[in-house]
Amino acid sequence: IEEHRAVARRHHGKTEFEGVLEFVPGVSVQGMEVHSLLKEMSAESLRSFWEQVGRLISFDALINNVDRVPLLWDNEGNTANIMLLSNDSIEVVGIDQAVTAIVDKGPGRARYLDRLSTLSRATFDGSWATEGCAVDGFRSGPWSVSAGLACVREAFQLSCGAEVELQALMDGLRAGLAC
């Protein structure tokens, strides 16, 4: 609307960048409050929660958002960038998205594409479930899907005391990757 553009120009002048924030009425997936909410959920609601987290991870893989769930990336994750909406149904919302460019040169792009390819293949053929479960994640060895999943389990355990339902998470990841 042109009227809104005129107001913005008057108030912000020649600013080169502007940020827009949206209030998300919910609970950050970190700490005791969400721990209690997850513990009180029915099995069906909890499954829905983990499926939605899996779909969010697929979005993060698409945009190379390295700062939320540490499945593909060499970090501890930040589950506080996941919100659980406070309404009658279970709704997961990602906040603080960042699109991270993958440059053509250097080992980063090849590593990312290799991990994403391996994850996609394991997600669709089900080999993630038979690969064996890494205990320490990839920080103690090379990356694999099971090592990445161990890091995801650790991130949620440390941030909110939640036990990840891997089947539901991977079902959501598969649904998100299939879009």
Side-chain angles (χ1 to χ4, degrees):
I1 301 175
E2 187 55 42
E3 178 183 333
H4 294 166
R5 287 187 193 108
V7 170
R9 282 188 207 106
R10 276 195 313 272
H11 290 291
H12 302 292
K14 296 181 181 181
T15 343
E16 190 171 339
F17 299 101
E18 290 185 34
V20 177
L21 299 177
E22 178 182 2
F23 175 73
V24 178
V27 178
S28 174
V29 179
Q30 189 171 61
M32 288 307 296
E33 185 176 6
V34 78
H35 172 79
S36 298
L37 288 172
L38 292 172
K39 285 284 189 193
E40 294 169 2
M41 281 184 191
S42 68
E44 182 181 326
S45 294
L46 197 55
R47 178 168 178 70
S48 175
F49 170 80
W50 289 115
E51 285 176 348
Q52 290 179 55
V53 170
R55 288 183 70 95
L56 185 58
I57 292 170
S58 71
F59 176 67
D60 285 344
L62 173 70
I63 66 171
N64 194 32
N65 182 17
V66 302
D67 180 41
R68 193 177 350 250
V69 180
L71 181 56
L72 288 176
W73 303 276
D74 301 337
N75 62 31
E76 295 177 2
N78 183 2
T79 63
N81 286 340
I82 302 171
M83 297 288 291
L84 177 57
L85 295 192
S86 54
N87 54 25
D88 295 334
S89 64
I90 301 303
E91 193 171 348
V92 170
V93 175
I95 62 169
D96 198 17
Q97 277 73 241
V99 178
T100 306
I102 305 167
V103 295
D104 288 338
K105 297 191 172 37
R109 181 177 182 182
R111 181 175 53 239
Y112 166 78
L113 292 174
D114 181 57
R115 288 180 182 187
L116 185 57
S117 173
T118 300
L119 176 64
S120 297
R121 196 170 26 261
T123 300
F124 285 99
D125 70 15
S127 63
W128 69 268
T130 58
E131 190 179 89
C133 187
V135 177
D136 295 329
F138 59 84
R139 291 180 197 98
S140 61
W143 186 87
S144 67
V145 175
S146 67
L149 287 171
C151 291
V152 171
R153 289 188 355 248
E154 178 184 42
F156 282 97
Q157 184 64 48
L158 293 175
S159 68
C160 61
E163 292 294 328
V164 177
E165 288 188 15
L166 290 179
Q167 184 64 56
L169 182 91
M170 295 304 285
D171 288 347
L173 181 64
R174 183 175 49 255
L177 291 173
C179 287

